[in-house]
Each structure stands twice: as structure tokens, then as C-alpha cells.
Amino acid sequence: MAKSLNEQDENSSPFVKVGECLYRRRTTKGYYALLKHAGKQVRRSLKTTDPALAKRRLADLKLKIGALSKRPDAASVSFDELANRWLETLKPRLKPKSFQRRQNSINQLRPYIGTLTIKQLSPEIFDRWESERSPGIAASTFNNERESIISVLDYAKRDGLVLENPALVLKRRKLPKSAVWIPTKEQFSLLVKTLRISGPRFVDAADLVELLAYSGMRLTEATSMRWRDIDFENGRFVVTGGVTGTKNHEERVVPLFPTLRTFLEKVREEDAPKSDQSIVQIGTAIKALASACKKAGIPRFTHHTLRHFFVSNAIELGIDFKTIASWVGHKDGGLLVAKTYGHLRDHHSNEMAQRMTFSA
């Protein structure tokens, strides 16, 4: 006898109904719940193949959905309001620049979804946002905004306003590879010389430039360093990051490199500083760098260029990536250094290979 249409559909489905709102996947034998919430069907994996555990988790899920349906917040609170609550939780945990970046992302999202309630947000809304927003902005900007959306709705999920995060449909955009410009030693020397002969107001900038280049520190790490952080006797210095701390919130102890020691000893002789005094007296040298580079006719240096300069010199001297990473404050064992600067080691190796001649 031919099977009815309903019987054919049931047999072709990947799920078998085994109880009220309870289904089992034919292939994996895993259990799933199929429930209604806010007028929509919700399918949720119960993450088990055990029938008794599946029933308990189904009961818990029903209670959770029941509690959600009784809360008016998801239907009344807007994305904008929830985002502001979320931002307040970040303030104590983030550095000012990181917090500002999150705040900027939320500000950019407001014209698109700010007035929508949490209940109104759906995968379709975010698909539309992506199609409208993504083409006109850089991949890094899109990824920051995407991460902010997901974080806000994870916050909503934690507080029981939503059952699932509808923004998870958004995928990260691939970041284009940016070329890292590494200045030559001649360009660096010319920069320092130009700063030092450009007048008294450029002296502090020259000190900051040399400190960054000889230590590999980030800008805020260098500008927050005090003389008490330098241990000349034991040949090391401590990177604290000052009030805001380092990028990974951990202090690190770094060897006092010979060139750095010479520079610091020279500055100490000239100024006779106190232990709690800053090594450099300015917070930025960006304008001085632009002026000096233009005057010297060399590519424009940034503070971060000097960090690249430090790392490239270390690689040329044959120092391994893991050691360099520990000096500059990376916690990945050298992966980022290898990814960013690996071509330098290959180039240096090829140059050295040209010296391997055996002619008389």
C-alpha cells in the first residue's frame, strides 16, 4: 500500500518525535526540544543522547521560556537602552581608549537598530544591517561593531531577556593584510639627529623616540616609566604600564639591553632625576616626528614604527620569536611576531646565505 504524504514527510525528516516537544535526530541520536516562544518556533539541542536527561533539560527549558514570556523588558527595552547598561558594566574593566572604542561602535549602531526593542531584533534585522553598513566601512570597523552587537545581546541573554542571541548570524570580515614598514638603521639615526638639532622643544621627543626604539615598549608603557623601574645593578627594567597598566594587564621584567642602558645612563647623568620621576617628559611625539621626518626627507615614523624597528633588529641578530615576544609583552609565545615579521628572518637568512662561498 502506498504511504500517505504525511508518512512520507515524517520518514524523510532528520528528526523523530519521541514525546511532547521532544525529538531525536535519526543520525546522531541526540535529543532536541521544539517549543513556541513569542509566536515563533524554537528548536534547541538538549546536548545529550540520554532520554532521561533530555526530559529533565526539556522541563528546565520550558520553565525558562515561561519566565521569559512573563518579563515585559524584551518588548519594551530598546537596544539603545540595553547598550547603555552594558557600557556601564565595562567602564571599571576597560582602559579609557578601549571603552571609547566600544562607545563609538554603539554610537554608529544607533541609527540602524537603536530604537528597536530587544524583542524586535532578529537574524533578518542583522542581515539587513550588514548589507547596508558593511560595504561602506573598513573590515576592522565592521568587526568592532559586530562584536559590540553580539556582546550587548549576550548581556541580554544573561539577564533573561532573550533565549538565543540573534546576532550570531553575523560573520567576521577578513582583515586585509597591511604591509609593515621597517625603517633602516640609517633612517632611524637621521631621525634622531634631526630631532636633536631642531631646537630645545624637540629634545624630549628625541628622548621618547630613543626609549621606544631601544626598549620595544608601547607608547603608554614608555611614557609611564619611572626611574625606579630601572634596575641598573641587576641589568633589568620593569614595564608596569603606569596607572592603566600594560595591554595584557601584567607587568613584565625585561633585560636592560646594552644600547638602552647607554641611553638611560646618559640621560641620568644630564638630569640627575629622582626615582619617582618620569624618564621622558612628554606623552606623545607625533607632531615632532612628522616635522622631523619631513625635514629629513624620510618616510613618516609613528610611535609604533619604533616598536617595529626594535623587533626587526632583534630578528636580524638571530633572537628567537618566543624571547622577543616576552620582551615586547605578547602572551602567545611568539606567534604574532612570527606572523608579522617572519619574512624578515627569511630575508635575513637569504642575505647571510650569499656569504657562503668557498672560492679560494
Side-chain angles (χ1 to χ4, degrees), residues 269-327:
E269 271 182 31
E270 292 173 353
D271 294 343
K274 296 178 181 178
S275 66
D276 62 344
Q277 188 175 321
S278 297
I279 292 173
V280 291
Q281 307 307 310
I282 56 173
T284 177
I286 199 68
K287 289 184 179 179
L289 281 169
S291 174
C293 289
K294 185 177 180 181
K295 189 182 293 186
I298 56 178
R300 186 168 177 173
F301 278 66
T302 66
H303 299 120
H304 209 71
T305 303
L306 299 161
R307 188 167 160 90
H308 291 321
F309 181 70
F310 172 87
V311 173
S312 67
N313 276 285
I315 289 173
E316 284 187 6
L317 291 169
I319 297 163
D320 63 274
F321 292 154
K322 185 176 180 181
T323 299
I324 296 171
S326 70
W327 289 347

Side-chain angles (χ1 to χ4, degrees), residues 13 98 135 175 203 270:
S13 169
S98 298
L175 295 172
V203 172
E270 292 173 353

Side-chain angles (χ1 to χ4, degrees), residues 218 248 252 307 322 324-334 336-337 341:
R218 300 178 179 92
N248 57 33
R252 63 182 185 274
R307 188 167 160 90
K322 185 176 180 181
I324 296 171
S326 70
W327 289 347
V328 298
H330 292 174
K331 302 294 289 182
D332 59 5
L336 182 59
V337 173
Y341 306 97

Side-chain angles (χ1 to χ4, degrees), residues 13-26:
S13 169
F15 296 96
V16 179
K17 186 172 182 179
V18 293
E20 185 182 354
C21 304
L22 187 63
Y23 291 76
R24 188 179 71 243
R25 185 178 279 275
R26 293 179 188 275

Side-chain angles (χ1 to χ4, degrees), residues 46-85:
L46 297 171
K47 294 182 171 48
T48 183
T49 56
D50 180 81
L53 181 56
K55 288 176 182 177
R56 290 199 298 273
R57 288 181 176 173
L58 175 62
D60 291 340
L61 184 59
K62 284 181 177 179
L63 289 173
K64 189 174 181 181
I65 289 178
L68 278 174
S69 62
K70 293 174 184 177
R71 291 194 65 169
D73 305 57
S76 60
V77 69
S78 68
F79 177 84
D80 200 16
E81 292 172 304
L82 189 68
N84 286 335
R85 290 189 211 168

Side-chain angles (χ1 to χ4, degrees), residues 66-118:
L68 278 174
S69 62
K70 293 174 184 177
R71 291 194 65 169
D73 305 57
S76 60
V77 69
S78 68
F79 177 84
D80 200 16
E81 292 172 304
L82 189 68
N84 286 335
R85 290 189 211 168
W86 172 71
L87 284 170
E88 285 302 312
T89 68
L90 296 184
K91 260 187 181 177
R93 297 187 280 117
L94 293 182
K95 293 183 178 181
K97 280 189 178 179
S98 298
F99 180 78
Q100 187 63 54
R101 186 165 59 248
R102 288 295 179 201
Q103 202 165 40
N104 290 342
S105 292
I106 295 299
N107 289 339
Q108 292 299 326
L109 292 167
R110 286 189 169 113
Y112 296 91
I113 58 175
T115 58
L116 296 179
T117 66
I118 300 304

